[in-house]
Amino acid sequence: MGEQLLEQLNESQRAAVEYCDGASLVIAGAGAGKTRVLTYKIAYLLDVVGLKPWNILALTFTNKAAREMRERIEHLVGTESARYLQMGTFHSVFSRILRSEAEKVGFTSNFTIYDQSDSRSLVKNICKEMGLDEKLYKPSAVSDAISMAKNRLIMPQAFAVSTLFDSKHPKVAEVYQHYVERCKQANAMDFDDLLVRIYQLFEDHEDVRQRYVERYHYVLVDEYQDTNYVQQKIVYQLTRDRQRVCVVGDDAQSIYSFRGANIDNILNFREAYTGARLFKLERNYRSTQLIVEAANSLIQKNERQIPKEVYSRNEHGERLTLKPAYSDKEEAMIVCKDIVRLKREEHGEYSDFAILYRTNAQSRAFEEQMHKMNIPYRIFGGMSFYQRKEIKDVIAYFRVVLNPDDEEALRRIINYPTRGIGDTTISKIVNTATENGVSLWQAMSNMRHYGLALSASTTGKVEAFRQLIEEWRGRLASEDVYQLGHAIIMESGISKDIYGSREPEYVARQENLEEFLGSMQDFVESRKEEGQAESIYLGDFLQEVALLTDLDSDDNAEQPKVSLMTVHSAKGLEFPTVFVVGLEENIFPSPMSTNSLRELEEERRLLYVAITRAEKHCILTCAQNRFRYGRMEYDTPSRFIRDIDPSLLYVDDGTHRPDNNTERTFAKRTASTSYRPSFQHAPSAPQTVSQSVAPHYRPVSSKPTASGSEEGIHSLREGMTIEHQRFGIGTVLKVEGTGENEKATVEFRNAGIKQLLLKFAKIKILK
């Protein structure tokens, strides 16, 4: 049986499976059969080495991974042996141990496990009891700080002198102390406690540690590059005596530092375990040879790594393709047209395609273009752009301003951001409206007439909210959707609420809000250019958004769909064709990473993960400009594009004349702003909405800005080639009208035929 097992492995996989005498580190390149090695090694330990199933401990990061491994092992060695394996996530395995050892760490065996919402609720209550300002001490941010401290084994008494201590929020240490005490009183542990308490159990009770060392003769850990400090410590506690441990992972795919993952665990493994053997799985079974070579050329630019040379024996394949676009609008068009083309040429399904982006906010342009082209899609690991909370909140404000009798929208925003109109007040308004057969708005607007009895203080708050809505309503006909929408976001307090923290959750909301502002500005400018200046107001915009949100309902869940997701969500997945979009400075790499070599290298690993999801085609895109922060932003191509071997990158600018000179592409795309290749001189992070848009808002200019002069615009003739700020390169088919009404009909390479009103057109005559 043992030889039969080994015959199904390649030489590197076989060597990793056979070595069981000491610690081993298995570095598995992308698509190299990592799970296969783990499952076959467990089968080998059972069938050849002779270990009992209950003497093997296998730790994974997801229940799904544990289930898949168990099913594969059952297929190899039978259900009976696999049933008694000690296999599961860190949290599930160690929670079972804690149930039986709880008293030794001050709990009873029936302790409760708090999920994230329970933890945040307790933190919120503690902050309230301490009289802390919730806007300064947001429960989510405080809870995340406590979690990060636990993952690094920093206890409350050490927190105040740790690197995590923030002098702007000095009370977090006290909240942490109270939180630990309250959990103990409630006989409850959160998910982080399940690891911290196990570490403390083994550290403080040597007899208990020895008992589990004797039980687990061999320990295996999947995705070791994703382990945090406390997880690494627990594994070491269980294995330092025998050193019979096998960890599997890929340092080149370590992309979760924001969750506490520490790449040092895998890089320094052989220092922690003297004499540990290193095995490299370097054959990629997923991708074509040229995709693998391009990914290798990228990741080799990282200094901190375990060197390896991943290779493929699949078909030679095609080079990576870089498709520069003039704008995010054209970028979406290019990608969607390629999906339609490749699906037709290769007789594939929409499920063969994935669009990967750095931030969730980037999905909007692709969603809108797919709606226009009837391409089915799904947001993997997230929700559609217009279904995200912060976007729905803003749209609810818009709906109430347009139609104050909209009850559902009014209920959503009447106390968001918090303005002291609580549930009791809302219930009174609802009851009064129901009794009188009127809308909530009517009841609020005529409180005395309808007998709505509220305290003087509450009446003032309701009236202040009503007047705010009325003030915006008075601007409906005079301000376009961007001007009024921007004012609503700022004056309602939404911007202040969302920009109150730099935690990842809030950063994502900020990016979504900025993207939404950009979509409003794009809506205004596009309609003006296309001669629809009378249709740029709030009602017109809401009508278009309503059509998009209506299409979000999934009537056919089984239909093959294009997958849209962040690169972080894509790890572990694979697709025949992958588009990696938004490869620009200030997006990928993230501006928050560019002043740290460690963080910049993680961003490069993130792109490596994106490229290695592709089996046959990997297409990269970047945009020269996009609406962000409510204005047009000009970007340079990502520095990472230069890290890819130029001989492995085909540059397609849409002219059907391939330009394989990456340096020339950079020169073309960086004319307006200098490219900075070194992280020490990286572009500074762009200003946020709350910092920049309000004080620096400039209405859209009605002056012709495109060709540099009015004379240039009026010299436009049929047959000329022009460059448009958003639509790219096009040919003029017809020019008609005079003066203010002069129009040009232009056929663009990707955007199709557009009619532009020249007084607003953002164009430049090329020839």
Side-chain angles (χ1 to χ4, degrees):
M1 178 66 178
E3 193 55 39
Q4 288 178 316
L5 279 173
L6 298 174
E7 283 175 357
Q8 299 175 58
L9 304 172
N10 67 33
E11 188 176 336
S12 300
Q13 292 171 337
R14 178 170 180 152
V17 165
E18 284 186 298
Y19 181 71
C20 301
D21 295 330
S24 61
L25 168 62
V26 180
I27 295 296
K34 166 182 68 69
T35 305
R36 187 177 184 84
V37 165
L38 271 172
T39 52
Y40 273 72
K41 191 172 186 77
I42 291 171
Y44 187 83
L45 287 167
L46 292 168
D47 190 63
V48 178
V49 179
L51 292 185
K52 301 299 181 187
W54 48 86
N55 293 141
I56 298 172
L57 173 63
L59 298 168
T60 66
F61 272 84
T62 66
N63 289 314
K64 181 178 178 232
R67 282 194 304 272
E68 288 178 356
M69 282 174 57
R70 190 181 294 276
E71 287 168 5
R72 292 197 196 186
I73 293 164
E74 283 179 2
H75 180 71
L76 292 172
V77 299
T79 305
E80 194 63 28
S81 292
R83 180 187 303 170
Y84 297 104
L85 284 169
Q86 301 298 293
M87 178 182 292
T89 65
F90 278 85
H91 294 93
S92 65
V93 168
F94 294 130
S95 65
R96 289 196 296 270
I97 293 176
L98 282 171
R99 291 285 179 200
S100 59
E101 309 286 352
E103 291 183 5
K104 292 184 175 63
V105 290
F107 291 77
T108 64
S109 60
N110 62 340
F111 62 82
T112 301
I113 298 176
Y114 280 176
D115 62 17
Q116 186 182 66
S117 62
D118 295 324
S119 298
R120 290 188 175 181
S121 177
L122 177 54
V123 167
K124 184 176 182 178
N125 290 335
I126 292 170
C127 289
K128 192 173 182 180
E129 291 162 13
M130 291 174 62
L132 301 178
D133 182 351
E134 192 174 320
K135 292 178 181 177
L136 187 61
Y137 289 88
K138 290 182 179 293
S140 59
V142 175
S143 186
D144 287 347
I146 292 172
S147 176
M148 190 64 77
K150 288 182 177 182
N151 286 334
R152 297 181 186 181
L153 289 175
I154 299 172
M155 296 298 101
Q157 57 272 26
F159 184 84
V161 294
S162 74
T163 56
L164 294 178
F165 182 75
D166 179 1
S167 58
K168 294 179 182 177
H169 304 91
K171 293 291 184 180
V172 171
E174 192 176 340
V175 175
Y176 184 9
Q177 181 65 54
H178 288 311
Y179 177 82
V180 170
E181 292 168 356
R182 294 280 281 276
C183 284
K184 197 86 172 283
Q185 291 167 10
N187 193 36
M189 296 189 201
D190 62 25
F191 284 117
D192 299 314
D193 287 329
L194 296 176
L195 302 180
V196 171
R197 297 295 182 183
I198 274 287
Y199 172 79
Q200 291 174 336
L201 173 70
F202 292 160
E203 194 71 8
D204 298 340
H205 300 274
E206 178 60 18
D207 58 325
V208 176
R209 187 187 75 83
Q210 281 295 340
R211 192 167 357 115
Y212 286 96
V213 168
E214 288 302 314
R215 178 178 300 181
Y216 300 131
H217 294 188
Y218 207 100
V219 177
L220 303 99
V221 187
D222 190 16
E223 303 285 11
Y224 194 68
Q225 77 280 350
D226 294 336
T227 54
N228 60 29
Y229 182 75
V230 66
Q231 288 166 331
Q232 184 269 334
K233 284 291 187 182
I234 294 167
V235 170
Y236 189 68
Q237 285 175 320
L238 288 171
T239 59
R240 68 182 186 229
D241 300 338
R242 284 199 183 90
Q243 301 220 353
R244 298 187 79 188
V245 56
C246 174
V247 302
V248 181
D250 183 6
D251 57 297
Q253 297 185 67
S254 179
I255 58 173
Y256 294 118
S257 65
F258 65 95
R259 294 182 189 168
N262 186 357
I263 192 174
D264 294 338
N265 292 347
I266 195 165
L267 294 179
N268 299 335
F269 181 84
R270 285 177 292 169
E271 295 175 17
Y273 294 89
T274 305
R277 290 274 300 276
L278 172 65
F279 298 92
K280 298 180 183 180
L281 308 183
E282 296 174 304
R283 180 177 176 183
N284 180 305
Y285 287 87
R286 175 188 302 147
S287 308
T288 61
Q289 294 179 33
L290 290 183
I291 289 175
V292 170
E293 289 174 21
N296 284 347
S297 70
L298 169 75
I299 202 63
Q300 283 167 1
K301 303 300 187 297
N302 272 9
E303 293 178 13
R304 302 182 72 249
Q305 62 175 302
I306 297 171
K308 57 185 172 296
E309 190 62 42
V310 180
Y311 66 94
S312 170
R313 289 181 181 163
N314 296 344
E315 61 181 293
H316 194 66
E318 60 187 37
R319 290 171 289 175
L320 269 62
T321 301
L322 172 65
K323 296 197 170 188
Y326 278 86
S327 65
D328 51 349
K329 184 186 286 285
E330 191 191 31
E331 178 184 48
M333 293 173 185
I334 289 170
V335 169
C336 290
K337 286 174 73 174
D338 265 3
I339 288 172
V340 172
R341 175 183 61 81
L342 285 167
K343 179 178 180 293
R344 182 182 64 248
E345 290 176 357
E346 302 190 354
H347 309 289
E349 298 285 355
Y350 282 120
S351 53
D352 294 339
F353 300 89
I355 300 172
L356 309 184
Y357 34 74
R358 180 63 183 83
T359 66
N360 273 307
Q362 292 168 259
S363 75
R364 181 193 61 82
F366 297 97
E367 290 185 63
E368 292 184 3
Q369 187 62 30
M370 287 185 175
H371 284 316
K372 290 175 184 176
M373 295 178 65
N374 294 315
I375 298 174
Y377 70 88
R378 64 169 182 155
I379 305 290
F380 188 94
M383 60 181 66
S384 171
F385 182 82
Y386 289 101
Q387 294 300 324
R388 293 166 194 164
K389 179 188 179 301
E390 53 278 6
I391 304 303
K392 292 185 78 170
D393 288 338
V394 174
I395 290 173
Y397 267 98
F398 289 3
R399 284 167 53 184
V400 170
V401 170
L402 199 66
N403 171 25
D405 293 323
D406 184 333
E407 179 176 335
E408 289 304 309
L410 184 64
R411 280 174 176 257
R412 186 179 185 98
I413 66 167
I414 193 169
N415 198 40
Y416 175 74
T418 306
R419 52 175 59 90
I421 303 175
D423 292 342
T424 302
T425 302
I426 295 171
S427 294
K428 287 180 181 179
I429 296 171
V430 170
N431 292 337
T432 300
T434 303
E435 289 167 5
N436 290 277
V438 296
S439 70
L440 271 59
W441 180 259
Q442 289 172 300
M444 290 164 55
S445 301
N446 300 278
M447 288 187 266
R448 184 175 297 178
H449 176 74
Y450 291 115
L452 178 55
L454 302 173
S455 69
S457 173
T458 303
T459 298
K461 292 170 184 173
V462 171
E463 181 59 18
F465 171 72
R466 193 191 67 79
Q467 288 178 3
L468 193 61
I469 300 294
E470 288 288 10
E471 195 272 330
W472 292 326
R473 283 177 57 73
R475 296 154 65 177
L476 273 169
S478 60
E479 296 185 3
D480 64 47
V481 64
Y482 177 75
Q483 293 169 319
L484 182 55
H486 180 271
I488 291 170
I489 289 169
M490 299 302 295
E491 294 165 15
S492 65
I494 289 176
S495 180
K496 186 177 180 182
D497 176 66
I498 290 179
Y499 282 88
S501 171
R502 292 304 293 169
E503 296 299 316
E505 172 190 340
Y506 281 84
V507 170
R509 294 173 67 191
Q510 292 158 18
E511 290 165 345
N512 288 332
L513 187 60
E514 287 158 358
E515 180 69 19
F516 191 54
L517 276 165
S519 74
M520 288 189 282
Q521 184 72 313
D522 184 23
F523 177 85
V524 171
E525 295 207 6
S526 295
R527 294 225 165 180
K528 282 184 176 181
E529 278 194 308
E530 294 170 23
Q532 301 177 54
E534 74 285 353
S535 303
I536 58 174
Y537 299 100
L538 187 65
D540 305 300
F541 181 75
L542 270 185
Q543 182 175 325
E544 187 159 297
V545 168
L547 294 173
L548 291 169
T549 54
D550 181 57
L551 290 167
D552 282 337
S553 57
D554 191 356
D555 296 326
N556 190 353
E558 300 304 314
Q559 179 186 13
K561 298 178 177 68
V562 176
S563 293
L564 276 68
M565 67 189 84
T566 63
V567 184
H568 283 103
S569 298
K571 188 168 177 293
L573 303 177
E574 55 190 49
F575 301 88
T577 300
V578 168
F579 296 88
V580 188
V581 300
L583 278 171
E584 300 136 46
E585 292 294 312
N586 288 327
I587 294 181
F588 204 162
S590 162
M592 292 183 288
S593 72
T594 51
N595 291 314
S596 160
L597 178 60
R598 187 183 181 96
E599 292 176 11
L600 191 65
E601 290 202 342
E602 178 158 330
E603 290 287 301
R604 190 178 283 110
R605 292 195 295 270
L606 195 59
L607 180 55
Y608 174 83
V609 167
I611 292 170
T612 55
R613 299 310 94 198
E615 296 170 359
K616 292 174 62 179
H617 309 289
C618 184
I619 299 164
L620 315 178
T621 66
C622 59
Q624 185 170 285
N625 60 68
R626 61 180 73 228
F627 276 113
R628 290 200 315 223
Y629 325 114
R631 61 175 180 264
M632 185 64 77
E633 292 273 322
Y634 292 86
D635 287 321
T636 59
S638 169
R639 68 193 74 193
F640 294 152
I641 295 173
R642 271 185 171 167
D643 289 341
I644 299 169
D645 184 337
S647 69
L648 301 168
L649 186 65
Y650 166 91
V651 183
D652 180 3
D653 65 0
T655 63
H656 306 296
R657 296 191 303 272
D659 180 356
N660 294 318
N661 189 319
T662 309
E663 290 301 318
R664 188 155 58 241
T665 299
F666 270 83
K668 290 177 185 175
R669 297 283 162 174
T670 57
S672 60
T673 176
S674 60
Y675 173 72
R676 302 168 177 85
S678 168
F679 79 93
Q680 290 97 334
H681 307 290
S684 59
Q687 292 178 302
T688 62
V689 173
S690 58
Q691 295 169 325
S692 68
V693 179
H696 298 295
Y697 170 73
R698 293 187 296 276
V700 179
S701 170
S702 61
K703 294 179 182 178
T705 59
S707 58
S709 69
E710 196 135 356
E711 292 74 21
I713 286 290
H714 293 312
S715 67
L716 202 63
R717 297 288 180 269
E718 182 180 326
M720 284 184 169
T721 302
I722 65 166
E723 178 182 282
H724 187 277
Q725 183 174 259
R726 301 283 278 152
F727 300 133
I729 302 294
T731 302
V732 179
L733 301 180
K734 184 168 60 175
V735 180
E736 56 190 325
T738 58
E740 293 275 304
N741 298 316
E742 190 173 11
K743 297 178 182 178
T745 302
V746 183
E747 183 173 13
F748 292 98
R749 287 175 186 162
N750 293 298
I753 295 175
K754 299 281 183 183
Q755 194 174 69
L756 306 177
L757 192 63
L758 291 185
K759 72 172 181 177
F760 293 121
K762 303 288 194 301
I763 63 174
K764 174 180 168 185
I765 297 172
L766 297 181
K767 60 180 179 179

